[in-house]
Amino acid sequence: MLFTKSALEAHADKAAIETAWDPLKPGFYFLTRATVLDLTATQLQRMQEMRDSKLLVKVLIDLNDAFQGKGLIESVLFVSHRWEDPATPDETGAQLAAIKAHLLAHPEIQFVWFDYSCMPQRSSGLSPDEDDRTPAEKAEFDLMLKAIADLYLTAKVLILLDTMYRTRFWTTMEGWCAMQKVTPQGVRPARAGESRVTVVCIHNATHKDREALLEMSTKTPAEMSKFLASPDVAVTNKKDKTTMLPIVGKTDEHVREMMSGMQIAIPESHEAELREDDNPITLFIDSARERICFCFCFGVNPLENDTQIQEAAQALQDERRFGRVVAMAPLSFQMRLFGWSNREWTLTFGRSAVIQHLSTAL
């Protein structure tokens, strides 16, 4: 098969996009805060127009930071909205108006992601089987699509809720992800003080629609996957369900894998507790001796003597050497690091094992 020069260049561009993609640091296009607020138009343009007008910035999202809720992810807003028309997602301008109002109320947000303006789109007026995007644009779109759930699980999310929001596949999936909290055990509904989502009703939506949406947060990944697979949850491109349903169903496994492989950062205020010249075994032994009294307070059987503490510490050091333990620190620091109380540690890991578990970064 012969390729023209332009075809060869197109394939080279596609290969370059795929080679450069890092699944742990996916690159997404964003609108800056200033760009959105300064817009005089009532609607956001298609991604290619925004890109050609140099109104987009490409940013790498470090998922290690994102899953810990720190770094760039704290200043990013993902917008979840229903496309009101295939060629004009925001027909009346109500969506852009709501985004601007949200930005004015949240000065910490510096980057905005709106799918129509931040992912390569087909030109309007094409038939369903036509696609005028370049091979590189298609490749970039597909890579972003597979990574999008991680961003809705970790970033701040603005839901623009209308009465049809819960009937669409993508919006329902995005909304569910936005209402979850990632933990070392998987996902669970976000509690008070943990929520990353803001729900704004537009058009005919009311507080009843909002409450119905919030109720979906209690669904497990398996339940959500089954719900989304139903034929009454509509999607424009059926291939999207094929791609995303397995990802949704395995959310717990994916989140556990992401969290288990992370190096947990130590807050500056606690750096003195883990000086470079401190021996991890010594730290653990000293910490266990000093704080072992908490075990009695919560009904935990403590290790009985220094010999057992020494043996446990050495075993942990061996585990650390083989990469199965990612960090060691004093007991009180470990509890503060993960935001758990003594009682939560005890209830989670059991009575006799609590000392060993407290000394590993789970």
Side-chain angles (χ1 to χ4, degrees):
M1 180 178 181
L2 295 176
F3 289 96
T4 64
K5 182 179 179 181
S6 60
L8 288 171
E9 289 174 344
H11 281 278
D13 290 343
K14 176 178 181 292
I17 291 290
E18 293 172 339
T19 301
W21 182 265
D22 183 348
L24 295 180
K25 290 185 179 179
F28 279 79
Y29 294 99
F30 290 93
L31 296 156
T32 66
R33 173 189 183 86
T35 295
V36 177
L37 291 176
D38 291 345
L39 284 175
T40 56
T42 58
Q43 300 162 336
L44 289 167
Q45 293 178 298
R46 189 174 70 118
M47 181 269 191
Q48 285 89 328
E49 280 82 50
M50 302 295 272
R51 179 195 62 197
D52 294 344
S53 299
K54 302 189 184 306
L55 295 176
L56 294 177
V57 293
K58 190 170 186 179
V59 179
L60 299 181
I61 304 292
D62 187 331
L63 293 183
N64 182 72
D65 286 347
F67 272 76
Q68 296 179 64
K70 67 176 188 177
L72 181 66
I73 204 71
E74 296 181 278
S75 60
V76 166
L77 177 71
F78 274 70
V79 180
S80 178
H81 68 112
R82 184 182 67 85
W83 285 38
E84 297 167 5
D85 180 85
T88 314
D90 181 16
E91 287 188 295
T92 66
Q95 296 183 18
L96 178 56
I99 295 170
K100 286 186 174 184
H102 188 77
L103 289 178
L104 291 174
H106 295 273
E108 73 278 8
I109 295 171
Q110 299 301 315
F111 300 98
V112 177
W113 189 89
F114 186 84
D115 56 0
Y116 180 67
S117 301
C118 297
M119 294 180 73
Q121 306 293 332
R122 299 185 311 134
S123 296
S124 61
L126 297 179
S127 64
D129 59 344
E130 290 181 303
D131 193 337
D132 60 345
R133 293 174 298 178
T134 67
E137 288 174 341
K138 292 178 186 177
E140 201 164 32
F141 182 95
D142 290 341
L143 289 167
M144 291 177 182
L145 197 69
K146 293 176 182 177
I148 199 66
D150 282 338
L151 283 305
Y152 277 102
L153 283 169
T154 55
K156 293 180 175 68
V157 178
L158 173 63
I159 291 178
L160 302 179
L161 180 66
D162 64 11
T163 56
M164 296 180 65
Y165 183 97
R166 291 185 299 117
T167 69
R168 303 295 301 182
F169 174 81
W170 276 107
T171 50
T172 305
M173 188 208 78
E174 293 162 1
W176 177 80
C177 287
M179 294 184 286
Q180 301 303 301
K181 168 71 175 175
V182 295
T183 77
Q185 291 75 42
V187 295
R188 60 166 172 76
R191 299 167 184 161
E194 297 175 337
S195 178
R196 299 172 288 106
V197 66
T198 301
V199 180
V200 174
C201 293
I202 61 174
H203 304 318
N204 292 322
T206 68
H207 73 281
K208 291 184 178 180
D209 296 294
R210 183 179 185 276
E211 292 303 314
L213 174 66
L214 295 177
E215 286 178 5
M216 298 189 70
S217 69
T218 60
K219 291 185 180 295
T220 66
E223 291 170 341
M224 198 64 208
S225 181
K226 182 178 180 180
F227 179 90
L228 292 170
S230 177
D232 60 355
V233 178
V235 65
T236 301
N237 187 343
K238 291 186 177 181
K239 186 179 72 173
D240 290 348
K241 281 197 178 187
T242 303
T243 299
M244 296 305 299
L245 285 176
I247 294 175
V248 174
K250 295 181 179 179
T251 299
D252 276 338
E253 293 91 329
H254 172 66
V255 169
R256 284 197 294 266
E257 181 180 0
M258 291 293 295
M259 299 291 278
S260 67
M262 290 179 181
Q263 296 291 333
I264 306 298
I266 301 169
E268 291 183 6
S269 59
H270 301 305
E271 284 182 349
E273 296 187 41
L274 286 176
R275 298 186 303 273
E276 290 184 0
D277 58 346
D278 281 332
N279 184 299
I281 294 180
T282 303
L283 282 172
F284 175 68
I285 293 173
D286 291 344
S287 179
R289 286 172 178 157
E290 294 169 4
R291 298 172 175 83
I292 205 166
C293 62
F294 97 87
C295 299
F296 294 104
C297 297
F298 294 95
V300 179
N301 292 326
L303 298 175
E304 294 179 355
N305 54 53
D306 282 358
T307 300
Q308 286 181 281
I309 293 175
Q310 180 73 43
E311 290 173 353
Q314 186 60 58
L316 286 164
Q317 181 70 348
D318 292 340
E319 289 287 286
R320 189 170 186 257
R321 186 178 300 115
F322 287 105
R324 292 189 288 269
V325 177
V326 298
M328 295 178 69
L331 301 184
S332 61
F333 173 68
Q334 289 284 353
M335 289 182 283
R336 290 199 302 275
L337 185 64
F338 290 95
W340 287 13
S341 68
N342 297 350
R343 182 168 181 78
E344 285 175 314
W345 278 102
T346 304
L347 293 175
T348 301
F349 296 117
R351 297 161 64 87
S352 62
V354 70
I355 294 295
Q356 291 93 324
H357 282 292
L358 278 172
S359 62
T360 60
L362 297 174

